């Protein structure tokens, strides 16, 4: 069996553990930052924030067009502010995993209703 070939993109999976009681402040900071990413970063293809069954846990999935788009993202003033402010809200340092994209799913516009 052959291994899948890499495809374009640079992806990260980041796990945050937020201090008890700091979740609302963290989520507000994230919402503000995601709005700025959406507006100013065409090279950021996906920036998805997830919760899990653990109230203090947040998982980010980030997909950039290429490493240069990620470097552009990291240089933005609002990202530098996010990195500074989040420190006081976290229980532990973030866990970052760099992923190697090997295939992409078809992008679709979300539907409403029964999905049929």
């Amino acid at each position: 069996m052959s291994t899948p070939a890499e495809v374009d993109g640079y992806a990260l999976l980041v796990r945050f553990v937020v201090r008890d009681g700091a979740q609302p402040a963290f989520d507000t900071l994230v919402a503000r930052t995601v709005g700025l990413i959406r507006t100013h970063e065409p090279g950021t293809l996906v920036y998805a924030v997830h919760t899990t069954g653990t109230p203090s846990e947040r998982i980010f999935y980030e997909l950039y067009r290429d490493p240069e788009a990620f470097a552009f993202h990291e240089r933005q003033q609002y990202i530098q502010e996010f990195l500074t402010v989040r420190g006081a809200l976290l229980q532990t340092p973030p866990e970052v995993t760099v992923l190697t994209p090997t295939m992409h799913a078809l992008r679709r516009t979300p539907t409403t209703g029964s999905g049929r």
Side-chain angles (χ1 to χ4, degrees):
M1 179 178 226
S2 64
T3 12
E6 290 183 29
V7 297
D8 291 340
Y10 182 82
L12 301 174
L13 188 68
V14 186
R15 179 179 175 267
F16 296 98
V17 178
V18 183
R19 280 188 308 104
D20 287 340
Q23 291 91 347
F26 183 81
D27 293 341
T28 298
L29 174 66
V30 170
R32 183 173 56 244
T33 305
V34 167
L36 291 164
I37 291 167
R38 185 179 299 120
T39 302
H40 299 292
E41 296 184 28
T44 301
L45 305 177
V46 177
Y47 200 93
V49 179
H50 305 272
T51 58
T52 68
T54 304
S56 62
E57 189 171 55
R58 302 293 183 274
I59 306 293
F60 287 21
Y61 173 72
E62 305 172 28
L63 177 62
Y64 302 90
R65 181 184 56 238
D66 49 36
E68 292 77 21
F70 173 68
F72 177 83
H73 166 80
E74 289 287 292
R75 287 192 306 268
Q76 301 313 299
Q77 183 275 330
Y78 51 87
I79 295 301
Q80 294 303 312
E81 179 181 322
F82 172 80
L83 296 174
T84 300
V85 173
R86 77 171 189 197
L89 303 173
L90 298 179
Q91 182 175 317
T92 61
E95 298 172 19
V96 179
T97 303
V98 176
L99 305 171
T100 302
T102 56
M103 63 183 70
H104 293 294
L106 178 63
R107 286 182 132 184
R108 294 194 175 136
T109 304
T111 59
T112 58
S114 67
R116 293 184 199 185

